[in-house]
Amino acid sequence: MSDLTTKLLEANEAGIAQAAAIWQAGGLVALPTETVYGLGADARNDQAVARIFEAKARPSFNPLIVHVPDVEMAKTLVHWSETAEALAKNFWPGPLTLVLPIKVDSGLSPLVTAGLDSLAIRMPAHPVARTLLQAFGGPVAAPSANPSGKISPTQPQHVIDGLSGRIEAVVDGGACGVGLESTILGLLDEPTLLRPGGIPAEELSNVLGTDIQSHQAGDAITAPGQMTSHYAPGASVRLNALDQMDGEVMLGFGDIKGDLNLSPDSNLREAAANLFHFLRRLDAGETKAIAVAPIPATGLGLAINDRLQRAAAPR
Ligand code: TXA
Ligand code: MG
């Protein structure tokens, strides 16, 4: 499937209706969320979900996040808990994905969970995502809308650059506000951080009143997005650089200026929103090597450093 004409749909009534109709017919539509653009399909339709894996060239053992318009729909898909309720009250809609036991009668395609008996689920906050999910009225499976292993898209043009000809449409919701994927929290037994992301883990601990276990390096891969090489630009990436070496372009932060600066004011929220977009810009053309200034490992900085380490990992 690489002969489709990928349409850019406006986020107005007509565009939303078209997008929902494409999902209904088993097609693929990329949608804006507050984190990154997702590549959505009807999560109950085996063939539609299979096409997500095909379009991204994603290993089929890597399960997908299901997106819902409201908590009621979530409860029809997973075994809800008091902990889930408390977290949803505080952080949904928003960049938090919960992993919960899937219900046997969820009706979801088994391809979504890649055979696991748990489901990753979230309710996005982006107004266009919410309107679209409501218009469609069903669960939407959506990984980030990039070819597997590459940088996640934070603008509609990024989606087109990576997936044009492989998907029916992209809904234009402008640039994503958060810019980093959702935080993934496992709730199968003790709350476990499976992927740092848009909501810092300490905010989750504060609501739960308990510490959150961290996934240990070397543990079995329970969120395969934790594969070491991921978010990989074409150029090599050198971290914690204080200055530029010969032939490098530089991604700066704060006082370390660089060719592009994630946040001259050292604001981590701004840095997160710029990260993937700036990596793409620096990776364009003949660039062979990218140096990246140190980013503080606190709050959102943990998720930023996580993505940068994967971008820098040997491949
Ligand atoms: O912000 C986000 O989460 C974006 C937007 C589009 O919602 N989505 C996203 O999806 O980042 P993706 O597929 O790129 O990353 C999903 C991660 C993968 O690492 C996958 O392994 C993990 O979620 N995952 C999915 N289902 C899981 C499950 N049942 N248990 C553990 N991890 C799971
Ligand atoms: Mg991804």
Side-chain angles (χ1 to χ4, degrees):
M1 287 265 184
S2 56
D3 49 359
L4 296 168
T5 308
T6 302
K7 276 186 242 161
L8 184 62
L9 298 174
E10 277 182 61
N12 56 21
E13 216 172 305
I16 299 281
Q18 251 187 296
I22 294 170
W23 278 341
Q24 232 98 51
L28 303 184
V29 181
L31 75 159
T33 83
E34 70 279 18
T35 60
V36 300
Y37 274 74
L39 178 54
D42 184 344
R44 301 158 298 191
N45 181 327
D46 287 319
Q47 296 208 21
V49 176
R51 278 194 54 208
I52 293 180
F53 288 97
E54 188 184 26
K56 282 181 60 92
R58 181 180 176 108
S60 54
F61 56 78
N62 193 353
L64 306 177
I65 296 174
V66 163
H67 297 65
V68 291
D70 47 46
V71 173
E72 285 61 51
M73 191 182 293
K75 289 179 179 169
T76 68
L77 303 174
V78 292
H79 293 284
W80 202 241
S81 65
E82 274 177 35
T83 308
E85 184 70 21
L87 291 166
K89 276 225 157 67
N90 280 274
F91 300 107
W92 279 14
L96 174 66
T97 295
L98 301 175
V99 175
L100 288 157
I102 193 169
K103 286 190 166 169
V104 282
D105 60 351
S106 70
L108 297 180
S109 163
L111 291 173
V112 169
T113 58
L116 299 176
D117 48 19
S118 61
L119 179 69
I121 193 162
R122 90 177 188 95
M123 176 181 172
H126 194 296
V128 174
R130 299 191 65 186
T131 311
L132 251 171
L133 290 168
Q134 275 155 10
F136 177 61
V140 169
S144 51
N146 51 281
S148 191
K150 302 293 187 196
I151 301 172
S152 295
T154 56
Q155 298 182 12
Q157 186 60 44
H158 300 161
V159 179
I160 291 179
D161 291 345
L163 297 176
S164 181
R166 297 165 169 260
I167 67 179
E168 275 82 355
V170 183
V171 179
D172 186 351
C176 303
V178 177
L180 283 179
E181 295 83 351
S182 60
T183 301
I184 304 183
L185 188 71
L187 292 179
L188 299 177
D189 62 276
E190 292 308 296
T192 304
L193 185 69
L194 299 177
R195 177 178 74 182
I199 295 184
E202 57 262 39
E203 289 188 25
L204 303 177
S205 309
N206 287 344
V207 165
L208 295 179
T210 56
D211 279 351
I212 288 174
Q213 311 294 309
S214 255
H215 178 90
Q216 299 297 312
D219 285 2
I221 293 176
T222 45
Q226 298 186 334
M227 286 181 292
T228 313
S229 174
H230 216 75
Y231 310 99
S236 66
V237 176
R238 183 169 69 89
L239 302 181
N240 298 314
L242 300 177
D243 47 30
Q244 251 158 304
M245 302 202 303
D246 258 5
E248 283 181 339
V249 295
M250 183 148 190
L251 184 58
F253 179 81
D255 292 338
I256 301 184
K257 196 167 167 295
D259 297 288
L260 289 175
N261 193 304
L262 286 172
S263 172
D265 300 332
S266 303
N267 177 329
L268 290 169
R269 219 170 260 277
E270 180 183 29
N274 285 331
L275 178 67
F276 290 146
H277 176 47
F278 283 6
L279 276 176
R280 276 170 191 270
R281 279 175 59 187
L282 291 179
D283 193 37
E286 301 289 287
T287 306
K288 294 246 163 24
I290 303 172
V292 186
I295 314 289
T298 55
L300 274 182
L302 288 169
I304 296 174
N305 278 296
D306 171 81
R307 302 306 186 273
L308 283 171
Q309 275 149 21
R310 291 173 211 287
R315 351 172 171 132

